[in-house]
Amino acid sequence: MGQKGEETRGRLLDATRDLIETGGYFGTGLNQVIAASGTPRGSLYFHFPGGKDQLVGESVRRAGDEIGRSLRALAESSSGARGMVAGMLAFLGDRLEGSGWRKGCPVATVALETAATSDPLQQVCAEVYGSWEAELRRRLAAEGHPEPVDTAVTVLALVEGALLLARAHRSREPLERVARRIEALL
């Protein structure tokens, strides 16, 4: 695929990500994706012959990879797991607040709406969450934490819950409270 094809594909994925994060899977139609991406209808079906589920799955995977790269960068630049998680909460909080409380986790909405009804989308969401959990687990294990597996999933659950509450309250306070509890946990 040439550069133009990659750019078109990228615009479709980015538009899908934005739309599903703010409107959910069921609130996002293919016509909206085409309009938001500025691409022709034929490009959507050329790049995503599997239709909406393929488009959404690849969009979620791409968004998850972006967050994963941010986590790895935080792991490398922070002094420890506490700093990594604090940085993660700050990054996600900035993203959420900067979007007018519309964009929390790029995976959560799809996971909540489709995990029980779409095996392919459930698998993508599980893979993304698994990769984030693995990054946390590696950092905790490297520091000699006694329970890196359980603690990593606990931290991820606290972060996801805090994002949901922050979005619902349109406030960073839940993120700040969870940051304090995670610091004590770690």
Side-chain angles (χ1 to χ4, degrees), residues 30 32 39 95 105 117-118 133-134 145:
L30 294 179
Q32 290 173 289
T39 61
R95 187 176 177 281
C105 172
T117 58
S118 172
E133 185 183 327
H145 195 283

Side-chain angles (χ1 to χ4, degrees), residues 34 53 66 74 121 140 162 181:
I34 291 165
D53 279 2
E66 288 175 20
L74 285 166
L121 291 176
L140 291 165
R181 289 295 93 215

Side-chain angles (χ1 to χ4, degrees), residues 95-103 170:
R95 187 176 177 281
L96 178 58
E97 189 172 12
S99 71
W101 308 104
R102 296 178 57 136
K103 294 182 179 181
R170 294 184 182 173

